[in-house]
Amino acid sequence: AQSVTQLGSHVSVSEGALVLLRCNYSSSVPPYLFWYVQYPNQGLQLLLKYTSAATLVKGINGFEAEFKKSETSFHLTKPSAHMSDAAEYFCAVIPNSGYSTLTFGKGTMLLVSP
Amino acid sequence: KAGVTQTPRYLIKTRGQQVTLSCSPISGHRSVSWYQQTPGQGLQFLFEYFSETQRNKGNFPGRFSGRQFSNSRSEMNVSTLELGDSALYLCASRQEHNSPLHFGNGTRLTVT
């Protein structure tokens, strides 16, 4: 079985500050991991994915995430927040073998203040 | 390539009615998944179809059903609507089982 825990339903940062959104996973087999972003009244857009290649993954809009097996974590970071980053972010996991569906975390709403 | 297309974008229905939502996946994607998104429950998996066969099913009552056609387009149906069915219904397609999901913009269903 697999699951994802996102710490913090809301994260507030100032424009220009570091963004850190936390994601921890549990999976019975090595997983693939994804981060998605959702803007109001839209679907989810893929930010980045980890598929067992490099542990540091770069995505769109300046975001990156690091896979740490020892900590079962896949935290999302961005060095400098923009107002346009305000959205809801979802971490998701799927086993890298067998057939299964994506399991999503509850989401973290990122608030960016001027 | 065109993205995942969902129609309609908004729907208002009355309790007891039924509704059909439509999804056209990205060209070449044979897998289509459906999710229900609500503020309280987050993203909940409904079902996934691959080449017209249901591959996985979430924990929803039998009022929720779906199907996939030979051109990979999918529909989901909800019968005997309840107030709690009000949600954003998201469709997503993928190329193979561990590929990322690509989402449509959803159908916002309001049940009154």
Side-chain angles (χ1 to χ4, degrees):
Chain A
Q2 63 210 23
S3 65
V4 174
T5 302
Q6 291 184 241
L7 291 175
S9 59
H10 291 79
V11 169
S12 295
V13 299
S14 299
E15 195 172 19
L18 171 72
V19 175
L20 171 61
L21 304 181
R22 299 178 188 273
C23 171
N24 288 87
Y25 69 90
S26 73
S27 179
S28 53
V29 296
Y32 290 164
L33 292 151
F34 308 88
W35 275 100
Y36 285 85
V37 61
Q38 186 179 33
Y39 298 99
N41 291 318
Q42 292 187 25
L44 278 69
Q45 179 184 2
L46 180 68
L47 272 178
L48 50 80
K49 60 182 180 180
Y50 167 75
T51 54
S52 73
T55 56
L56 183 62
V57 181
K58 293 188 184 301
I60 62 172
N61 302 340
F63 284 93
E64 62 181 36
E66 186 172 9
F67 174 71
K68 290 187 177 180
K69 186 177 178 182
S70 61
E71 298 177 8
T72 61
S73 69
F74 190 57
H75 302 330
L76 182 70
T77 60
K78 181 173 180 178
S80 175
H82 292 175
M83 297 294 290
S84 60
D85 293 327
E88 190 158 23
Y89 292 78
F90 293 90
C91 183
V93 63
I94 190 170
N96 71 4
S97 61
Y99 192 90
S100 186
T101 59
L102 242 60
T103 300
F104 285 89
K106 294 278 189 192
T108 297
M109 184 68 73
L110 177 65
L111 307 168
V112 183
S113 56
Chain B
K1 255 188 193 177
V4 177
T5 304
Q6 291 187 247
T7 56
R9 283 281 275 143
Y10 301 93
L11 265 178
I12 300 175
K13 291 286 187 178
T14 304
R15 269 181 306 175
Q17 288 186 313
Q18 68 130 21
V19 68
T20 299
L21 312 182
S22 181
C23 172
S24 293
I26 291 173
S27 177
H29 288 191
R30 291 188 292 166
S31 166
V32 173
S33 298
W34 289 89
Y35 286 82
Q36 181 196 66
Q37 187 179 27
T38 58
Q41 300 297 319
L43 278 159
Q44 292 190 282
F45 171 73
L46 280 154
F47 26 67
E48 179 178 16
Y49 288 86
F50 182 86
S51 294
E52 302 179 67
T53 302
Q54 189 179 87
R55 276 287 184 97
N56 283 293
K57 189 177 191 305
N59 190 24
F60 277 81
R63 299 186 297 108
F64 291 81
S65 63
R67 58 179 177 168
Q68 188 180 32
F69 302 95
S70 58
N71 62 358
S72 293
R73 192 177 69 84
S74 177
E75 290 181 346
M76 69 162 277
N77 185 277
V78 188
S79 62
T80 321
L81 284 165
E82 300 177 0
L83 294 179
D85 296 334
S86 294
L88 180 66
Y89 289 88
L90 292 164
C91 170
S93 71
R94 57 180 173 174
Q95 215 160 20
E96 44 192 37
H97 90 274
N98 55 11
S99 300
L101 287 174
H102 297 267
F103 284 83
N105 281 329
T107 294
R108 172 78 61 186
L109 173 65
T110 302
V111 182
T112 62

